[in-house]
């Protein structure tokens, strides 16, 4: 890879633009060439750059951003080939209130999504995108979600005026030439993205252009297209991730009989060398990356990582559920990541990494709250100012790293396999300071679907809004389901009928986040979660004991060898407070009303059964 000092490639001039697009650049896909031309006409960029995804292209773009003062090259000796970005202070997270599912019929978007009539939304977008790229380069980013060569993969093309987005897409997806090859003459999912800050002639650009007021992230599920305006932040701007691989893919999965889920996928190997795969859905910033890369504290156990955020799940020829990670990299939460909590992540991000909204040290390396050691004396905070302890966190709580999965020392050898990996267990979980025990097992697939539907979790900094507020987040998919969630629950029930019960993964619920009266975590978490994984592993082959409770089965013995933990803490971790659970059931009952006639009766029955068992 060339260094960040390399010369940038020139961009095309506006006058020659159309000719260039149509003649000199042939993507090999007629519809794509036509669309590029049409979008260039609409957005009126100063030039068009079709990305080839090469290391050279990455180096040139990075160097250009450094020269323009939009990125800082980190200390080459400490963090080779890595970049530091800090965003506009108002562009740091997903924005759920301006995320729309514009299906033709409002009822198909459901009560948990924002909806606007598609025609009306398109008129608005037409206005917003008209001339929105003036003075900027329009990058065309072909990308593939899912392994190259897999019939299940989906090719998307993102048009963006953000070079930052291009750099991130390079690590997060299979991007450029290889994606075009996969596309061939086929259909692609179109994604339009603009930071929404056209540059008038002579106007000086800002470090992180965005448009707070008109921001919107819009999905047209029937057309498989996305239009995103006004934000450069990950989930709003990297359109392959939440927009295509979850919101649009969930709709495709519903139609075609598969699942697109907000789940990590890990491989777990026992000391005897037996390997099983587990998927887990936790809401944003609730522990997926950490579980996916876990270093077990139990001797002899090994975790390998297939993916840390998204899983596409199908019934395989053998009747088991097989999961693929559509992504090629990690867009992970930085704060809390350390050699103690997640050494594999720390090793993964040692080089070739993009850091966004972390702090910059005096030596030109990065820092965040919860990293090993005390804060360096001299630091620039994520706000770009010299940091003092009284300023609050030096890194934004939702600061992130972007890095290729190939750098993960525990990257699973099957991670690129087109058919995916067979699942033995599915875990749901959330951030709950009480009520929900450390782990319990569902009685059946249907009961497991009920557990998924009843997930509640404290909100985090991953989305704009108040942090720490308990909200329902069914299947950790509330912000990511592209259709009516009542239908989504029904689809999960249907998936369970596609195969025999013994082939289905067992379903679990975990909660690493219970707190004591002083607000301290009761469970040490991170590597110690391997004790829970071991129990789940052994349960899936009926080798670990459990006892039935009203809510599900809990361990009668958890392997706690080598862990010092007070008995009273353990008791608290597994206690089931009947009154609190009855209140929880009231909550769930109320919540399910939101889905009215589309709420599957099976899940209402599961709730009644739970209430009956609690009594
Ligand atoms: P998204 O990328 O937003 O979807 O998040 P994620 O689910 O991958 O969350 P991640 O693993 O990045 O964790 C988010 C925060 O939770 C980090 O600050 C972690 O340090 C913290 N965390 C993760 N696992 C544990 C755990 O077992 N115990 C405790 N106490 N904190 C944890
Ligand atoms: C999440 O918020 O769940 C993320 C980060 O994984 S983002 O890609 O920004 O949505
Ligand atoms: Mn996520």
């Amino acid at each position: 890879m060339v260094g960040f000092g390399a010369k940038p490639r020139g961009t095309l001039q506006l006058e020659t633009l159309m000719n260039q697009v149509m003649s000199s650049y042939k993507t090999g896909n007629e519809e794509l060439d036509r669309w590029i031309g049409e979008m260039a006409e609409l957005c009126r960029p100063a030039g068009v750059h079709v990305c080839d995804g090469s290391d050279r292209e990455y180096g040139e773009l990075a160097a250009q951003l450094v020269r323009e003062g939009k990125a800082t090259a980190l200390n080459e000796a400490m963090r080779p080939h890595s970049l530091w970005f800090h965003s506009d202070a108002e562009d740091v997270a997903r924005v759920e209130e301006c995320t729309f599912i514009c299906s033709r019929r409002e009822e198909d978007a459901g009560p948990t999504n924002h909806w606007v009539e598609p025609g009306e939304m398109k008129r608005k977008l037409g206005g917003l995108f008209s001339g929105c790229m003036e003075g900027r380069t329009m990058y065309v980013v072909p990308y593939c979600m899912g392994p190259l060569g897999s019939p299940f993969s989906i090719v998307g093309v993102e048009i963006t005026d953000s070079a930052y987005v291009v750099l991130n897409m390079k690590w997060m997806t299979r991007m450029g030439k290889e994606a075009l090859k996969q596309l061939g003459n086929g259909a692609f999912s179109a994604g339009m993205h603009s930071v929404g800050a056209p540059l008038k002639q002579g106007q000086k650009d800002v470090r992180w252009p965005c448009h707070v007021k008109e921001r919107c992230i819009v999905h047209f599920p029937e057309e498989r297209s996305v239009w995103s305006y006004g934000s450069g932040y990950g989930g709003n701007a990297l359109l392959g991730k939440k927009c295509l691989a979850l919101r649009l893919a969930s709709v495709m999965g519903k139609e075609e009989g598969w699942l697109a889920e907000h789940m990590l996928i890990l491989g777990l190997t026992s000391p005897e060398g037996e390997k099983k795969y587990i998927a887990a859905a936790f809401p944003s910033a609730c522990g997926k990356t950490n579980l996916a890369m876990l270093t077990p504290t139990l001797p002899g156990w090994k975790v390998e990582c297939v993916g840390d955020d998204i899983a596409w799940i199908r019934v395989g020829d053998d009747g088991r559920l097989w999961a693929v990670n559509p992504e090629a990299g990690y867009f992970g939460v930085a704060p809390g990541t350390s050699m103690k909590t997640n050494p594999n992540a720390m090793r993964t991000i040692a080089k070739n990494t993009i850091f966004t909204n972390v702090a910059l040290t005096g030596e030109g390396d990065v820092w965040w709250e919860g990293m090993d050691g005390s804060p360096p004396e001299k630091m620039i905070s994520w706000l770009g100012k010299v940091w003092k302890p009284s300023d609050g966190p030096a890194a934004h709580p939702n600061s992130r790293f972007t890095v290729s999965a190939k750098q993960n020392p525990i990257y699973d050898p099957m991670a690129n396999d087109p058919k995916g990996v067979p699942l033995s267990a599915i875990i749901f979980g959330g951030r709950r300071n009480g009520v929900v025990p450390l782990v319990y097992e569902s009685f059946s697939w249907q009961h497991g679907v009920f557990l998924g539907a009843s997930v509640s979790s404290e909100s985090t900094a991953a989305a704009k809004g108040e942090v720490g507020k308990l909200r329902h987040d069914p299947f950790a998919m509330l912000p990511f389901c592209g259709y009516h969630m009542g239908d989504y629950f029904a689809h999960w029930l249907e998936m369970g009928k596609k195969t025999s019960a013994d082939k289905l993964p067992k379903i679990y619920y975990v909660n690493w986040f219970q707190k004591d009266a002083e607000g301290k975590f009761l469970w040490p978490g991170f590597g110690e979660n391997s004790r829970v994984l071991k129990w789940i592993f052994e349960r899936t082959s009926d080798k670990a004991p459990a006892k039935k409770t009203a809510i599900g089965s809990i361990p009668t013995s958890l392997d706690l060898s080598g862990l010092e933990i007070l008995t009273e803490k353990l008791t608290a971790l597994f206690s089931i407070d009947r009154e609190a659970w009855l209140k929880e059931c009231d909550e769930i009952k109320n919540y399910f009303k939101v889905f009215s006639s589309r709420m599957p009766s099976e899940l209402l029955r599961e709730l009644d059964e739970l209430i009956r068992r609690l009594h």
Side-chain angles (χ1 to χ4, degrees):
M1 192 188 277
V2 292
F4 293 155
K7 280 229 158 45
R9 184 176 307 190
T11 53
L12 311 178
Q13 290 308 299
L14 181 60
E15 308 83 62
T16 52
L17 170 73
M18 294 304 289
N19 286 342
Q20 294 273 2
V21 169
M22 303 324 255
S23 61
S24 85
Y25 195 88
K26 284 279 180 244
T27 63
N29 184 301
E30 255 174 59
E31 173 53 22
L32 178 53
D33 289 341
R34 193 198 58 74
W35 182 62
I36 296 170
E38 192 187 316
M39 290 303 109
E41 215 169 333
L42 173 68
C43 304
R44 300 194 294 276
V48 175
H49 175 125
V50 181
C51 297
D52 62 16
S54 64
D55 290 347
R56 181 191 161 85
E57 176 182 75
Y58 183 92
E60 288 171 354
L61 277 178
Q64 182 186 320
L65 288 173
V66 170
R67 259 196 323 277
E68 291 170 355
K70 292 179 175 171
T72 301
L74 294 176
N75 183 321
E76 197 58 32
M78 300 172 87
R79 198 74 60 171
H81 259 85
S82 298
L83 295 167
W84 177 68
F85 287 85
H86 65 112
S87 77
D88 184 288
E90 295 299 319
D91 196 15
V92 295
R94 282 183 295 101
V95 280
E96 294 177 6
E97 72 277 15
C98 21
T99 300
F100 297 87
I101 302 293
C102 294
S103 44
R104 269 180 225 128
R105 297 186 310 178
E106 181 171 11
E107 71 226 58
D108 290 341
T112 56
N113 282 312
H114 299 294
W115 179 87
V116 169
E117 193 276 314
E120 183 188 333
M121 183 54 95
K122 280 182 184 167
R123 280 188 293 282
K124 180 183 161 177
L125 290 168
L128 288 176
F129 277 80
S130 171
C132 70
M133 295 187 186
E134 269 173 27
R136 299 191 186 283
T137 301
M138 179 175 119
Y139 299 96
V140 179
V141 185
Y143 63 92
C144 179
M145 299 312 286
L148 292 164
S150 168
F152 306 135
S153 293
I154 300 176
V155 176
V157 180
E158 173 164 358
I159 287 182
T160 177
D161 53 12
S162 162
Y164 168 82
V165 164
V166 178
L167 296 183
N168 278 266
M169 290 295 279
K170 157 98 171 159
W171 299 138
M172 295 306 295
T173 70
R174 286 94 175 163
M175 191 264 257
K177 274 194 178 137
E178 45 188 18
L180 279 183
K181 200 170 141 208
Q182 167 101 9
L183 175 63
N185 254 327
F188 59 91
S189 168
M192 275 305 290
H193 171 252
S194 173
V195 293
L199 277 175
K200 303 293 171 213
Q201 202 140 45
Q203 194 182 337
K204 206 172 158 282
D205 202 1
V206 294
R207 178 178 40 78
W208 182 281
C210 61
H211 198 308
V212 181
K213 233 180 106 218
E214 298 283 8
R215 189 170 286 168
C216 56
I217 295 94
V218 185
H219 307 71
F220 297 101
E222 288 96 353
E223 294 173 13
R224 317 270 189 254
S225 65
V226 184
W227 291 70
S228 166
Y229 186 88
S231 167
Y233 168 77
N236 304 329
L238 312 176
L239 303 186
K241 196 174 175 54
K242 299 299 160 89
C243 301
L244 174 54
L246 285 178
R247 296 195 190 97
L248 295 183
S250 63
V251 175
M252 298 165 82
K254 161 81 179 150
E255 287 167 12
E256 297 164 10
W258 52 279
L259 296 166
E261 298 300 324
H262 192 203
M263 288 180 179
L264 68 92
I265 310 164
L266 65 83
L268 180 61
T269 306
S270 71
E272 292 74 37
E274 191 185 358
K275 185 165 186 179
K276 295 184 179 190
Y277 287 96
I278 298 174
F282 310 146
S284 303
C286 290
K288 288 183 300 301
T289 304
N290 280 269
L291 192 66
M293 298 186 186
L294 175 141
T295 305
T297 49
L298 284 177
W301 288 82
K302 185 167 84 176
V303 165
E304 287 162 294
C305 179
V306 177
D308 80 329
D309 199 48
I310 301 179
W312 289 348
I313 303 173
R314 286 166 204 273
V315 183
D317 297 334
D318 61 354
R320 302 186 69 188
L321 297 197
W322 291 70
V324 163
N325 169 20
E327 299 192 279
Y330 312 118
F331 182 61
V333 175
T337 309
S338 70
M339 283 309 282
K340 257 221 218 81
T341 57
N342 193 349
N344 288 316
M346 292 302 277
R347 290 181 193 115
T348 307
I349 61 177
K351 58 184 179 187
N352 303 322
T353 304
I354 300 167
F355 295 93
T356 308
N357 288 339
V358 303
L360 177 69
T361 72
E363 291 171 295
D365 199 5
V366 286
W367 192 85
W368 46 78
E369 279 66 26
M371 199 196 245
D372 312 79
S374 45
E377 254 168 50
K378 265 175 56 190
M379 262 196 302
I380 305 289
S381 77
W382 73 275
L383 288 162
K385 297 196 191 110
V386 176
W387 180 77
K388 320 183 284 307
S390 59
D391 293 345
H396 188 275
N398 190 40
S399 53
R400 301 244 167 192
F401 52 77
T402 316
V403 69
S404 166
K406 288 183 193 153
Q407 290 188 183
N408 187 347
I410 58 156
Y411 192 42
D412 192 272
M414 294 284 283
N416 261 304
D417 197 299
K419 68 178 185 311
V421 297
L423 295 179
S424 297
I426 290 176
I427 307 176
F428 295 111
R431 194 180 275 272
R432 295 294 300 266
N433 60 31
V435 186
V436 180
L438 185 64
V439 58
Y440 64 103
E441 183 187 78
S442 69
F443 299 127
S444 64
W445 179 264
Q446 181 172 299
H447 181 225
V449 173
F450 169 75
L451 298 192
S454 61
V455 170
S456 289
S457 192
E458 288 150 30
S459 55
T460 65
K464 194 178 164 219
E466 197 186 328
V467 171
K469 211 176 137 194
L470 190 63
R471 71 163 185 182
H472 291 275
D473 190 349
F475 292 79
M477 280 289 280
L478 180 74
F480 308 121
C481 183
Y483 61 102
H484 196 298
M485 275 210 115
D487 294 347
Y488 169 91
F489 300 155
H491 182 43
W492 262 83
L493 291 170
E494 276 308 304
M495 285 296 290
K497 293 178 192 150
K498 285 180 187 286
T499 187
S500 56
D502 61 311
K503 298 256 169 69
L504 286 167
K506 285 198 167 191
I507 300 181
Y508 297 82
Y509 201 114
V510 302
N511 177 23
W512 314 139
F513 300 97
Q514 281 191 84
K515 288 182 177 166
D516 63 15
E518 275 117 62
K520 289 212 184 85
F521 289 117
L522 281 171
W523 178 249
F526 304 104
E528 303 296 359
N529 294 335
S530 59
R531 300 170 190 280
V532 173
L533 290 184
K534 177 186 172 183
W535 182 74
I536 290 174
F537 183 102
E538 293 178 345
R539 283 298 292 167
T540 60
S541 33
D542 290 322
K543 279 189 193 140
K547 77 167 181 231
K548 282 196 174 170
T549 75
I551 63 167
S553 300
I554 61 170
T556 45
S557 73
L558 199 63
D559 186 346
L560 296 172
S561 50
L563 177 68
E564 273 178 47
I565 183 163
L566 296 173
T567 322
E568 66 226 45
K569 280 196 187 177
L570 263 184
T571 311
L573 282 165
F574 283 106
S575 74
I576 294 157
D577 177 340
R578 209 174 65 101
E579 290 311 310
W581 268 96
L582 283 169
K583 248 178 84 189
E584 182 88 8
C585 289
D586 277 348
E587 260 302 311
I588 297 171
K589 190 164 225 159
N590 258 331
Y591 184 62
F592 282 177
K593 284 187 189 143
V594 170
F595 305 105
S596 57
S597 63
R598 299 218 199 181
M599 186 69 210
S601 56
E602 292 93 324
L603 300 187
L604 296 174
R605 265 204 311 280
E606 285 293 340
L607 177 60
D608 287 341
E609 283 291 299
L610 171 59
I611 295 169
R612 191 188 53 75
R613 289 192 302 266
L614 285 164
H615 280 301

